[in-house]
Amino acid sequence: MIDNDEILQIFFSEAEELLKLAETSLMSLESTPDSASDIEELFRSLHTLKSSAAMTGFTSISEYSHLLETLLERLRTHKLSVTKNLITMMLESLDFMKSMVDRAVRGVAEANSDELRMHREQVSRYLGLDTMAQSPGNGRFRLDEALRGNP
Amino acid sequence: MKKHILVVDDSSTIRASVCACLRNAGYKITEAVNGKDALEKLRLLQERNQALSLILTDLNMPEMDGITLVRKVREGVFKFVPILVLTTEAHESVIEAGISAGASGWLQKPFDPEQLLRSIKKLVWSK
């Protein structure tokens, strides 16, 4: 009979594999920014990680995956564009998720609250700004420029 | 005779959790990793003339999603088998898509073993 410890081990190895897959999709998206299949693969990896983490009680990993999933949904529906800054932010996000999984493996809290807040805010800035993409006149809004404060 | 349940989810963690809970409750389990794999497992069950009491399926899966699986099951020899959809999203549109495709009920992830067994018992004749 499989016990809770075995389920946790299954989760840890699945999480590691999903984050590797997500990183591969993200690197591929960087070279082909319009690739719907890369966005789809990335979305699927994070969606599965969200469910698996929620099932095993790792709520920070699950909630953060959900936030990234929301961002990918905006890419999927062309409300946001893939930019170099967005890719960099996503790579940092995946590194942060890896660190959360590592901590979970060691049996400590997934993240400290300050770090989690900082990373959540970083993603939320992209999510909050997307309404400006509808600004008339100058085509698609460049989030990376807006975040740098450039015109 | 143990009731037989097909568990379909691309998450190995969720398959392991669900299968552990169901085996513990006395059910016989077959696992599938996506809709396509599930259809193959159903084909094998049909070949061996084995009965099936319930299908538990995730929605968002690679190769073939849960909605397509539900539709295909409703067109095949296992069309009268109840299907319980396991979903992370509880949006009305998602649930409605599952139900209109032919699902018998839904359960939002994450769930605890008691919730899962209660939902199953509503759909499967008592042992």
Side-chain angles (χ1 to χ4, degrees):
Chain A
M1 183 62 67
I2 195 162
D3 62 20
N4 282 343
D5 279 351
E6 285 173 84
I7 290 171
L8 283 183
Q9 293 311 316
I10 290 169
F11 170 70
F12 295 144
S13 74
E14 182 184 35
E16 193 184 334
E17 193 183 325
L18 289 169
L19 287 171
K20 264 187 209 154
L21 281 174
E23 197 171 301
T24 306
S25 306
L26 196 56
M27 304 298 260
S28 170
L29 188 64
E30 189 175 22
S31 51
T32 48
D34 292 327
S35 167
S37 63
D38 287 332
I39 294 173
E40 198 55 41
E41 286 298 313
L42 195 49
F43 186 89
R44 195 183 302 289
S45 300
L46 291 171
H47 181 83
T48 305
L49 184 55
K50 177 179 79 171
S51 304
S52 301
M55 202 70 194
T56 38
F58 294 112
T59 48
S60 296
I61 296 174
S62 179
E63 284 170 16
Y64 193 70
S65 305
H66 179 65
L67 194 62
L68 292 177
E69 200 186 45
T70 309
L71 185 79
L72 289 169
E73 182 60 30
R74 309 253 170 127
L75 293 181
R76 196 149 82 162
T77 51
H78 306 290
K79 287 178 182 158
L80 269 181
S81 337
V82 175
T83 61
K84 196 168 168 31
N85 278 12
L86 187 134
I87 296 277
T88 306
M89 185 276 286
M90 289 287 290
L91 281 169
E92 285 171 9
S93 295
L94 292 182
D95 281 344
F96 174 55
M97 294 195 74
K98 278 186 218 161
S99 76
M100 285 201 279
V101 173
D102 284 346
R103 283 181 218 179
V105 170
R106 296 202 307 270
V108 295
E110 299 148 78
N112 71 52
S113 55
D114 285 347
E115 200 181 9
L116 189 60
R117 191 173 56 242
M118 190 197 85
H119 281 279
R120 289 183 68 93
E121 281 171 4
Q122 200 173 18
V123 183
S124 299
R125 275 202 291 277
Y126 280 82
L127 290 172
L129 279 168
D130 77 325
T131 50
M132 294 169 76
Q134 308 303 320
S135 306
N138 51 1
R140 189 169 279 168
F141 183 73
R142 293 295 302 261
L143 282 167
D144 49 348
E145 288 170 5
L147 288 169
R148 281 201 304 272
N150 291 340
Chain B
M1 179 88 169
K2 284 182 176 180
K3 300 279 181 192
H4 191 169
I5 299 180
L6 174 64
V7 177
V8 193
D9 202 306
D10 61 325
S11 157
S12 46
T13 306
I14 290 178
R15 282 201 316 278
S17 311
V18 168
C19 294
C21 165
L22 298 184
R23 286 198 177 103
N24 200 28
Y27 293 102
K28 182 184 173 191
I29 306 299
T30 295
E31 296 180 43
V33 297
N34 58 43
K36 199 175 161 193
D37 186 29
L39 289 180
E40 178 57 20
K41 298 284 159 63
L42 288 174
R43 194 185 61 75
L44 292 173
L45 289 179
Q46 186 191 348
E47 250 178 38
R48 294 170 194 157
N49 207 18
Q50 286 184 320
L52 189 67
S53 301
L54 179 74
I55 298 171
L56 287 181
T57 184
D58 181 24
L59 289 183
N60 197 327
M61 296 179 288
E63 295 199 54
M64 186 189 287
D65 64 29
I67 299 284
T68 311
L69 171 66
V70 173
R71 275 202 207 100
K72 287 192 179 285
V73 169
R74 290 295 174 243
E75 293 164 0
V77 292
F78 290 103
K79 65 181 170 189
F80 297 119
V81 173
I83 303 175
L84 182 66
V85 162
L86 307 175
T87 172
T88 320
E89 267 74 42
H91 297 308
E92 264 180 42
S93 60
V94 175
I95 310 250
E96 206 176 291
I99 300 296
S100 48
S104 323
W106 62 279
L107 182 62
Q108 188 180 1
K109 292 187 262 188
F111 41 78
D112 60 41
E114 288 75 24
Q115 284 174 303
L116 176 64
L117 294 173
R118 256 200 317 273
S119 299
I120 288 176
K121 278 176 186 158
K122 280 184 196 163
L123 296 171
V124 177
W125 290 102
S126 57
K127 287 177 281 178

Short mmCIF file of all heavy atoms in Angstrom, two decimals, chain A residues 72-133:
data_model
loop_
_atom_site.label_atom_id
_atom_site.label_comp_id
_atom_site.label_asym_id
_atom_site.label_seq_id
_atom_site.Cartn_x
_atom_site.Cartn_y
_atom_site.Cartn_z
N LEU A 72 0.19 33.38 -18.59
CA LEU A 72 0.27 32.64 -19.86
C LEU A 72 -1.06 32.68 -20.61
O LEU A 72 -1.08 32.69 -21.83
CB LEU A 72 0.67 31.18 -19.58
CG LEU A 72 2.12 31.02 -19.15
CD1 LEU A 72 2.37 29.61 -18.64
CD2 LEU A 72 3.07 31.33 -20.30
N GLU A 73 -2.13 32.71 -19.85
CA GLU A 73 -3.46 32.82 -20.47
C GLU A 73 -3.55 34.12 -21.28
O GLU A 73 -4.11 34.18 -22.36
CB GLU A 73 -4.54 32.76 -19.38
CG GLU A 73 -5.98 32.82 -19.86
CD GLU A 73 -6.35 31.68 -20.79
OE1 GLU A 73 -5.79 30.58 -20.66
OE2 GLU A 73 -7.20 31.92 -21.68
N ARG A 74 -2.94 35.18 -20.72
CA ARG A 74 -2.94 36.48 -21.44
C ARG A 74 -2.08 36.41 -22.70
O ARG A 74 -2.36 37.07 -23.68
CB ARG A 74 -2.41 37.60 -20.53
CG ARG A 74 -3.11 37.64 -19.19
CD ARG A 74 -4.05 38.80 -19.06
NE ARG A 74 -4.84 38.65 -17.86
CZ ARG A 74 -4.95 39.56 -16.91
NH1 ARG A 74 -4.34 40.71 -17.04
NH2 ARG A 74 -5.70 39.34 -15.85
N LEU A 75 -1.02 35.61 -22.64
CA LEU A 75 -0.18 35.45 -23.84
C LEU A 75 -0.95 34.65 -24.88
O LEU A 75 -0.93 34.96 -26.07
CB LEU A 75 1.12 34.70 -23.51
CG LEU A 75 2.13 35.37 -22.60
CD1 LEU A 75 3.35 34.48 -22.42
CD2 LEU A 75 2.59 36.70 -23.20
N ARG A 76 -1.64 33.64 -24.38
CA ARG A 76 -2.39 32.74 -25.26
C ARG A 76 -3.49 33.49 -26.01
O ARG A 76 -3.79 33.20 -27.14
CB ARG A 76 -3.01 31.65 -24.37
CG ARG A 76 -3.49 30.44 -25.07
CD ARG A 76 -3.38 29.21 -24.22
NE ARG A 76 -4.48 29.06 -23.28
CZ ARG A 76 -4.78 27.91 -22.69
NH1 ARG A 76 -4.09 26.82 -22.93
NH2 ARG A 76 -5.76 27.85 -21.84
N THR A 77 -4.09 34.47 -25.32
CA THR A 77 -5.19 35.23 -25.92
C THR A 77 -4.70 36.56 -26.52
O THR A 77 -5.51 37.44 -26.83
CB THR A 77 -6.30 35.50 -24.88
OG1 THR A 77 -5.69 36.09 -23.72
CG2 THR A 77 -7.02 34.23 -24.47
N HIS A 78 -3.38 36.69 -26.64
CA HIS A 78 -2.75 37.86 -27.26
C HIS A 78 -3.07 39.18 -26.55
O HIS A 78 -3.07 40.23 -27.17
CB HIS A 78 -3.13 37.96 -28.75
CG HIS A 78 -2.83 36.70 -29.50
ND1 HIS A 78 -1.55 36.27 -29.76
CD2 HIS A 78 -3.65 35.76 -30.00
CE1 HIS A 78 -1.60 35.13 -30.39
NE2 HIS A 78 -2.86 34.78 -30.55
N LYS A 79 -3.33 39.10 -25.25
CA LYS A 79 -3.53 40.34 -24.50
C LYS A 79 -2.18 40.86 -24.02
O LYS A 79 -2.06 41.99 -23.57
CB LYS A 79 -4.46 40.10 -23.31
CG LYS A 79 -5.90 39.91 -23.75
CD LYS A 79 -6.80 39.63 -22.58
CE LYS A 79 -8.22 39.40 -23.04
NZ LYS A 79 -8.99 38.63 -22.06
N LEU A 80 -1.19 40.00 -24.06
CA LEU A 80 0.19 40.37 -23.73
C LEU A 80 1.09 39.81 -24.82
O LEU A 80 0.77 38.77 -25.40
CB LEU A 80 0.60 39.70 -22.41
CG LEU A 80 0.40 40.41 -21.09
CD1 LEU A 80 0.92 39.52 -19.97
CD2 LEU A 80 1.14 41.73 -21.06
N SER A 81 2.22 40.48 -25.04
CA SER A 81 3.18 39.94 -26.02
C SER A 81 4.39 39.37 -25.31
O SER A 81 4.71 39.77 -24.19
CB SER A 81 3.69 41.02 -26.96
OG SER A 81 2.84 42.09 -27.05
N VAL A 82 5.04 38.44 -26.01
CA VAL A 82 6.27 37.86 -25.47
C VAL A 82 7.41 38.86 -25.73
O VAL A 82 7.67 39.22 -26.87
CB VAL A 82 6.59 36.52 -26.17
CG1 VAL A 82 7.94 35.98 -25.68
CG2 VAL A 82 5.48 35.52 -25.93
N THR A 83 8.02 39.33 -24.65
CA THR A 83 9.15 40.25 -24.80
C THR A 83 10.35 39.65 -24.06
O THR A 83 10.18 38.70 -23.27
CB THR A 83 8.84 41.62 -24.17
OG1 THR A 83 8.59 41.40 -22.77
CG2 THR A 83 7.64 42.30 -24.80
N LYS A 84 11.50 40.20 -24.31
CA LYS A 84 12.72 39.70 -23.66
C LYS A 84 12.58 39.82 -22.14
O LYS A 84 12.95 38.90 -21.40
CB LYS A 84 13.92 40.50 -24.17
CG LYS A 84 15.24 39.84 -23.89
CD LYS A 84 16.34 40.51 -24.67
CE LYS A 84 17.72 40.09 -24.23
NZ LYS A 84 17.89 38.75 -23.72
N ASN A 85 12.04 40.95 -21.68
CA ASN A 85 11.88 41.15 -20.24
C ASN A 85 10.92 40.14 -19.62
O ASN A 85 11.12 39.67 -18.50
CB ASN A 85 11.38 42.57 -19.94
CG ASN A 85 12.52 43.56 -19.96
OD1 ASN A 85 13.61 43.25 -20.41
ND2 ASN A 85 12.25 44.76 -19.49
N LEU A 86 9.88 39.84 -20.36
CA LEU A 86 8.90 38.88 -19.85
C LEU A 86 9.55 37.49 -19.73
O LEU A 86 9.36 36.79 -18.73
CB LEU A 86 7.67 38.84 -20.76
CG LEU A 86 6.53 37.99 -20.22
CD1 LEU A 86 5.21 38.74 -20.35
CD2 LEU A 86 6.41 36.67 -20.94
N ILE A 87 10.34 37.12 -20.74
CA ILE A 87 11.03 35.82 -20.69
C ILE A 87 11.98 35.78 -19.49
O ILE A 87 12.01 34.80 -18.74
CB ILE A 87 11.83 35.57 -22.00
CG1 ILE A 87 10.89 35.47 -23.22
CG2 ILE A 87 12.73 34.34 -21.87
CD1 ILE A 87 10.25 34.14 -23.47
N THR A 88 12.74 36.87 -19.30
CA THR A 88 13.67 36.93 -18.16
C THR A 88 12.92 36.78 -16.84
O THR A 88 13.32 36.01 -15.96
CB THR A 88 14.44 38.28 -18.17
OG1 THR A 88 15.05 38.40 -19.45
CG2 THR A 88 15.48 38.34 -17.08
N MET A 89 11.80 37.49 -16.73
CA MET A 89 11.00 37.41 -15.51
C MET A 89 10.48 35.99 -15.30
O MET A 89 10.50 35.46 -14.19
CB MET A 89 9.84 38.42 -15.61
CG MET A 89 8.98 38.55 -14.37
SD MET A 89 7.70 37.31 -14.25
CE MET A 89 6.55 37.86 -15.46
N MET A 90 10.02 35.34 -16.39
CA MET A 90 9.51 33.98 -16.29
C MET A 90 10.62 33.00 -15.88
O MET A 90 10.39 32.08 -15.10
CB MET A 90 8.90 33.52 -17.62
CG MET A 90 7.60 34.18 -18.01
SD MET A 90 6.19 33.62 -17.04
CE MET A 90 5.97 31.96 -17.62
N LEU A 91 11.83 33.21 -16.43
CA LEU A 91 12.95 32.33 -16.05
C LEU A 91 13.27 32.48 -14.56
O LEU A 91 13.49 31.50 -13.86
CB LEU A 91 14.20 32.65 -16.89
CG LEU A 91 14.20 32.08 -18.31
CD1 LEU A 91 15.35 32.67 -19.13
CD2 LEU A 91 14.30 30.55 -18.30
N GLU A 92 13.23 33.73 -14.09
CA GLU A 92 13.45 33.96 -12.65
C GLU A 92 12.34 33.31 -11.83
O GLU A 92 12.58 32.77 -10.76
CB GLU A 92 13.48 35.47 -12.36
CG GLU A 92 14.77 36.13 -12.80
CD GLU A 92 14.72 37.66 -12.72
OE1 GLU A 92 13.73 38.20 -12.15
OE2 GLU A 92 15.65 38.29 -13.25
N SER A 93 11.13 33.37 -12.37
CA SER A 93 9.99 32.76 -11.67
C SER A 93 10.17 31.25 -11.55
O SER A 93 9.87 30.66 -10.51
CB SER A 93 8.69 33.03 -12.42
OG SER A 93 8.41 34.40 -12.40
N LEU A 94 10.66 30.63 -12.65
CA LEU A 94 10.87 29.18 -12.61
C LEU A 94 11.99 28.83 -11.61
O LEU A 94 11.89 27.83 -10.89
CB LEU A 94 11.21 28.63 -14.00
CG LEU A 94 10.07 28.68 -15.04
CD1 LEU A 94 10.53 28.06 -16.35
CD2 LEU A 94 8.82 27.97 -14.54
N ASP A 95 13.04 29.67 -11.57
CA ASP A 95 14.11 29.45 -10.59
C ASP A 95 13.55 29.52 -9.17
O ASP A 95 13.91 28.73 -8.30
CB ASP A 95 15.22 30.50 -10.74
CG ASP A 95 16.15 30.18 -11.90
OD1 ASP A 95 16.12 29.01 -12.37
OD2 ASP A 95 16.88 31.07 -12.36
N PHE A 96 12.67 30.50 -8.98
CA PHE A 96 12.05 30.66 -7.66
C PHE A 96 11.21 29.41 -7.32
O PHE A 96 11.24 28.91 -6.19
CB PHE A 96 11.17 31.92 -7.65
CG PHE A 96 10.37 32.10 -6.39
CD1 PHE A 96 11.00 32.11 -5.15
CD2 PHE A 96 9.00 32.26 -6.45
CE1 PHE A 96 10.26 32.27 -3.98
CE2 PHE A 96 8.25 32.43 -5.29
CZ PHE A 96 8.89 32.43 -4.05
N MET A 97 10.50 28.88 -8.31
CA MET A 97 9.70 27.67 -8.07
C MET A 97 10.59 26.49 -7.74
O MET A 97 10.25 25.68 -6.88
CB MET A 97 8.82 27.37 -9.28
CG MET A 97 7.79 28.46 -9.45
SD MET A 97 6.50 27.99 -10.55
CE MET A 97 5.60 26.87 -9.58
N LYS A 98 11.74 26.40 -8.45
CA LYS A 98 12.67 25.30 -8.14
C LYS A 98 13.14 25.42 -6.70
O LYS A 98 13.25 24.42 -5.99
CB LYS A 98 13.90 25.38 -9.07
CG LYS A 98 13.66 24.76 -10.42
CD LYS A 98 14.97 24.77 -11.20
CE LYS A 98 14.71 25.06 -12.65
NZ LYS A 98 15.87 25.52 -13.39
N SER A 99 13.41 26.67 -6.27
CA SER A 99 13.88 26.83 -4.89
C SER A 99 12.77 26.45 -3.90
O SER A 99 13.04 25.89 -2.84
CB SER A 99 14.40 28.26 -4.65
OG SER A 99 13.32 29.16 -4.52
N MET A 100 11.51 26.74 -4.27
CA MET A 100 10.40 26.34 -3.37
C MET A 100 10.31 24.83 -3.26
O MET A 100 10.10 24.28 -2.18
CB MET A 100 9.07 26.92 -3.88
CG MET A 100 8.93 28.42 -3.61
SD MET A 100 7.21 28.97 -3.62
CE MET A 100 6.91 29.14 -5.35
N VAL A 101 10.48 24.15 -4.42
CA VAL A 101 10.42 22.68 -4.41
C VAL A 101 11.58 22.11 -3.59
O VAL A 101 11.39 21.22 -2.77
CB VAL A 101 10.41 22.10 -5.85
CG1 VAL A 101 10.52 20.58 -5.84
CG2 VAL A 101 9.14 22.52 -6.59
N ASP A 102 12.80 22.70 -3.78
CA ASP A 102 13.97 22.23 -3.01
C ASP A 102 13.71 22.34 -1.51
O ASP A 102 14.06 21.45 -0.74
CB ASP A 102 15.21 23.08 -3.35
CG ASP A 102 15.78 22.69 -4.71
OD1 ASP A 102 15.39 21.63 -5.22
OD2 ASP A 102 16.60 23.47 -5.26
N ARG A 103 13.11 23.46 -1.12
CA ARG A 103 12.83 23.63 0.30
C ARG A 103 11.79 22.63 0.79
O ARG A 103 11.90 22.10 1.90
CB ARG A 103 12.33 25.04 0.59
CG ARG A 103 13.47 26.02 0.59
CD ARG A 103 12.98 27.39 0.89
NE ARG A 103 13.72 28.33 0.07
CZ ARG A 103 13.52 29.62 0.09
NH1 ARG A 103 12.60 30.14 0.84
NH2 ARG A 103 14.24 30.40 -0.67
N ALA A 104 10.80 22.39 -0.05
CA ALA A 104 9.77 21.40 0.31
C ALA A 104 10.42 20.02 0.50
O ALA A 104 10.09 19.30 1.45
CB ALA A 104 8.69 21.35 -0.76
N VAL A 105 11.39 19.70 -0.38
CA VAL A 105 12.09 18.41 -0.27
C VAL A 105 12.81 18.33 1.07
O VAL A 105 12.83 17.29 1.74
CB VAL A 105 13.11 18.24 -1.44
CG1 VAL A 105 14.03 17.04 -1.21
CG2 VAL A 105 12.39 18.10 -2.78
N ARG A 106 13.40 19.48 1.48
CA ARG A 106 14.14 19.49 2.76
C ARG A 106 13.21 19.57 3.97
O ARG A 106 13.66 19.57 5.11
CB ARG A 106 15.10 20.68 2.78
CG ARG A 106 16.20 20.60 1.73
CD ARG A 106 17.41 21.46 2.13
NE ARG A 106 17.04 22.83 2.43
CZ ARG A 106 17.01 23.81 1.53
NH1 ARG A 106 17.31 23.57 0.29
NH2 ARG A 106 16.67 25.04 1.89
N GLY A 107 11.92 19.69 3.70
CA GLY A 107 10.95 19.70 4.80
C GLY A 107 10.80 21.03 5.49
O GLY A 107 10.32 21.11 6.62
N VAL A 108 11.25 22.12 4.82
CA VAL A 108 11.06 23.45 5.42
C VAL A 108 10.01 24.23 4.62
O VAL A 108 9.61 23.79 3.53
CB VAL A 108 12.39 24.25 5.50
CG1 VAL A 108 13.37 23.57 6.43
CG2 VAL A 108 13.02 24.44 4.12
N ALA A 109 9.60 25.40 5.13
CA ALA A 109 8.57 26.20 4.45
C ALA A 109 9.03 26.51 3.02
O ALA A 109 10.21 26.79 2.79
CB ALA A 109 8.34 27.49 5.21
N GLU A 110 8.08 26.46 2.08
CA GLU A 110 8.42 26.61 0.66
C GLU A 110 9.13 27.93 0.36
O GLU A 110 10.00 27.99 -0.49
CB GLU A 110 7.14 26.54 -0.19
CG GLU A 110 6.40 25.22 -0.08
CD GLU A 110 4.92 25.42 -0.21
OE1 GLU A 110 4.45 25.59 -1.35
OE2 GLU A 110 4.21 25.42 0.82
N ALA A 111 8.70 29.01 1.02
CA ALA A 111 9.32 30.32 0.77
C ALA A 111 9.06 31.20 1.97
O ALA A 111 8.09 31.00 2.70
CB ALA A 111 8.71 30.95 -0.47
N ASN A 112 9.96 32.20 2.19
CA ASN A 112 9.62 33.15 3.26
C ASN A 112 8.66 34.19 2.67
O ASN A 112 8.61 34.39 1.45
CB ASN A 112 10.86 33.74 3.92
CG ASN A 112 11.60 34.71 3.03
OD1 ASN A 112 11.00 35.63 2.49
ND2 ASN A 112 12.89 34.49 2.87
N SER A 113 7.90 34.83 3.54
CA SER A 113 6.79 35.65 3.05
C SER A 113 7.26 36.84 2.21
O SER A 113 6.62 37.20 1.23
CB SER A 113 5.91 36.11 4.22
OG SER A 113 6.72 36.77 5.15
N ASP A 114 8.42 37.43 2.57
CA ASP A 114 8.91 38.58 1.80
C ASP A 114 9.27 38.19 0.38
O ASP A 114 8.92 38.89 -0.58
CB ASP A 114 10.17 39.17 2.47
CG ASP A 114 9.82 39.95 3.72
OD1 ASP A 114 8.61 40.23 3.90
OD2 ASP A 114 10.73 40.24 4.52
N GLU A 115 9.96 37.06 0.28
CA GLU A 115 10.40 36.58 -1.02
C GLU A 115 9.20 36.25 -1.90
O GLU A 115 9.14 36.61 -3.08
CB GLU A 115 11.24 35.32 -0.79
CG GLU A 115 12.13 34.97 -1.93
CD GLU A 115 12.89 33.68 -1.63
OE1 GLU A 115 12.60 33.01 -0.62
OE2 GLU A 115 13.77 33.36 -2.42
N LEU A 116 8.21 35.59 -1.29
CA LEU A 116 7.01 35.21 -2.02
C LEU A 116 6.26 36.45 -2.50
O LEU A 116 5.84 36.54 -3.66
CB LEU A 116 6.11 34.36 -1.11
CG LEU A 116 4.91 33.69 -1.75
CD1 LEU A 116 5.33 32.74 -2.86
CD2 LEU A 116 4.12 32.91 -0.71
N ARG A 117 6.17 37.45 -1.62
CA ARG A 117 5.48 38.69 -1.97
C ARG A 117 6.19 39.39 -3.14
O ARG A 117 5.58 39.83 -4.10
CB ARG A 117 5.38 39.61 -0.75
CG ARG A 117 4.44 40.80 -1.00
CD ARG A 117 4.17 41.63 0.22
NE ARG A 117 5.41 42.12 0.83
CZ ARG A 117 5.82 41.82 2.04
NH1 ARG A 117 5.12 41.01 2.81
NH2 ARG A 117 6.94 42.30 2.52
N MET A 118 7.52 39.42 -3.05
CA MET A 118 8.29 40.09 -4.11
C MET A 118 8.06 39.42 -5.47
O MET A 118 7.79 40.09 -6.46
CB MET A 118 9.78 40.03 -3.75
CG MET A 118 10.65 40.87 -4.63
SD MET A 118 12.35 40.35 -4.45
CE MET A 118 12.44 39.01 -5.61
N HIS A 119 8.10 38.10 -5.48
CA HIS A 119 7.90 37.39 -6.74
C HIS A 119 6.47 37.51 -7.26
O HIS A 119 6.25 37.63 -8.45
CB HIS A 119 8.29 35.91 -6.57
CG HIS A 119 9.77 35.70 -6.64
ND1 HIS A 119 10.46 35.62 -7.82
CD2 HIS A 119 10.69 35.58 -5.65
CE1 HIS A 119 11.74 35.45 -7.57
NE2 HIS A 119 11.91 35.43 -6.26
N ARG A 120 5.52 37.50 -6.33
CA ARG A 120 4.12 37.66 -6.74
C ARG A 120 3.90 39.05 -7.36
O ARG A 120 3.24 39.19 -8.36
CB ARG A 120 3.17 37.48 -5.54
CG ARG A 120 3.07 36.06 -5.04
CD ARG A 120 2.06 35.98 -3.90
NE ARG A 120 0.72 36.23 -4.41
CZ ARG A 120 -0.09 35.27 -4.80
NH1 ARG A 120 0.27 34.02 -4.71
NH2 ARG A 120 -1.29 35.55 -5.25
N GLU A 121 4.52 40.05 -6.71
CA GLU A 121 4.37 41.42 -7.22
C GLU A 121 4.98 41.58 -8.60
O GLU A 121 4.45 42.27 -9.46
CB GLU A 121 5.01 42.42 -6.24
CG GLU A 121 4.11 42.69 -5.05
CD GLU A 121 4.78 43.50 -3.95
OE1 GLU A 121 5.95 43.93 -4.13
OE2 GLU A 121 4.13 43.69 -2.91
N GLN A 122 6.08 40.89 -8.79
CA GLN A 122 6.78 40.96 -10.07
C GLN A 122 5.86 40.45 -11.20
O GLN A 122 5.76 41.07 -12.25
CB GLN A 122 8.04 40.10 -10.00
CG GLN A 122 9.05 40.46 -11.04
CD GLN A 122 10.35 39.70 -10.83
OE1 GLN A 122 10.38 38.69 -10.13
NE2 GLN A 122 11.41 40.17 -11.42
N VAL A 123 5.19 39.34 -10.96
CA VAL A 123 4.27 38.79 -11.97
C VAL A 123 3.03 39.68 -12.08
O VAL A 123 2.55 39.97 -13.18
CB VAL A 123 3.85 37.33 -11.62
CG1 VAL A 123 2.96 36.75 -12.71
CG2 VAL A 123 5.07 36.45 -11.41
N SER A 124 2.53 40.13 -10.94
CA SER A 124 1.31 40.94 -10.93
C SER A 124 1.47 42.24 -11.70
O SER A 124 0.52 42.75 -12.27
CB SER A 124 0.90 41.27 -9.49
OG SER A 124 0.63 40.08 -8.82
N ARG A 125 2.70 42.78 -11.71
CA ARG A 125 2.93 44.02 -12.47
C ARG A 125 2.60 43.80 -13.94
O ARG A 125 2.00 44.64 -14.58
CB ARG A 125 4.39 44.47 -12.32
CG ARG A 125 4.62 45.30 -11.07
CD ARG A 125 5.86 46.16 -11.20
NE ARG A 125 7.08 45.37 -11.21
CZ ARG A 125 7.69 44.93 -10.12
NH1 ARG A 125 7.19 45.19 -8.93
NH2 ARG A 125 8.80 44.22 -10.21
N TYR A 126 2.98 42.64 -14.46
CA TYR A 126 2.67 42.33 -15.86
C TYR A 126 1.17 42.15 -16.03
O TYR A 126 0.58 42.58 -17.00
CB TYR A 126 3.39 41.05 -16.30
CG TYR A 126 4.83 41.28 -16.66
CD1 TYR A 126 5.81 41.34 -15.68
CD2 TYR A 126 5.20 41.45 -17.99
CE1 TYR A 126 7.14 41.56 -16.00
CE2 TYR A 126 6.53 41.67 -18.32
CZ TYR A 126 7.49 41.73 -17.33
OH TYR A 126 8.79 41.95 -17.66
N LEU A 127 0.54 41.51 -15.06
CA LEU A 127 -0.90 41.26 -15.16
C LEU A 127 -1.69 42.55 -15.05
O LEU A 127 -2.64 42.78 -15.78
CB LEU A 127 -1.34 40.29 -14.06
CG LEU A 127 -0.85 38.86 -14.23
CD1 LEU A 127 -1.18 38.05 -12.99
CD2 LEU A 127 -1.49 38.22 -15.46
N GLY A 128 -1.26 43.44 -14.16
CA GLY A 128 -1.97 44.69 -13.93
C GLY A 128 -1.86 45.65 -15.09
O GLY A 128 -2.76 46.45 -15.34
N LEU A 129 -0.76 45.54 -15.82
CA LEU A 129 -0.53 46.49 -16.89
C LEU A 129 -1.22 46.13 -18.19
O LEU A 129 -1.29 46.95 -19.10
CB LEU A 129 0.98 46.60 -17.16
CG LEU A 129 1.74 47.50 -16.20
CD1 LEU A 129 3.22 47.29 -16.38
CD2 LEU A 129 1.37 48.96 -16.45
N ASP A 130 -1.75 44.93 -18.28
CA ASP A 130 -2.18 44.48 -19.61
C ASP A 130 -3.37 45.25 -20.15
O ASP A 130 -3.58 45.30 -21.34
CB ASP A 130 -2.46 42.99 -19.63
CG ASP A 130 -3.78 42.65 -19.00
OD1 ASP A 130 -4.16 43.33 -18.03
OD2 ASP A 130 -4.43 41.74 -19.48
N THR A 131 -4.17 45.89 -19.26
CA THR A 131 -5.31 46.65 -19.76
C THR A 131 -4.84 47.79 -20.65
O THR A 131 -5.54 48.22 -21.55
CB THR A 131 -6.13 47.24 -18.60
OG1 THR A 131 -5.23 47.90 -17.74
CG2 THR A 131 -6.88 46.18 -17.84
N MET A 132 -3.60 48.26 -20.40
CA MET A 132 -3.07 49.36 -21.20
C MET A 132 -2.75 48.91 -22.63
O MET A 132 -2.52 49.74 -23.50
CB MET A 132 -1.82 49.94 -20.54
CG MET A 132 -2.16 50.60 -19.21
SD MET A 132 -0.71 51.00 -18.27
CE MET A 132 -0.15 52.44 -19.16
N ALA A 133 -2.72 47.60 -22.82
CA ALA A 133 -2.47 47.09 -24.17
C ALA A 133 -3.57 47.53 -25.12
O ALA A 133 -3.39 47.51 -26.33
CB ALA A 133 -2.39 45.57 -24.14
#
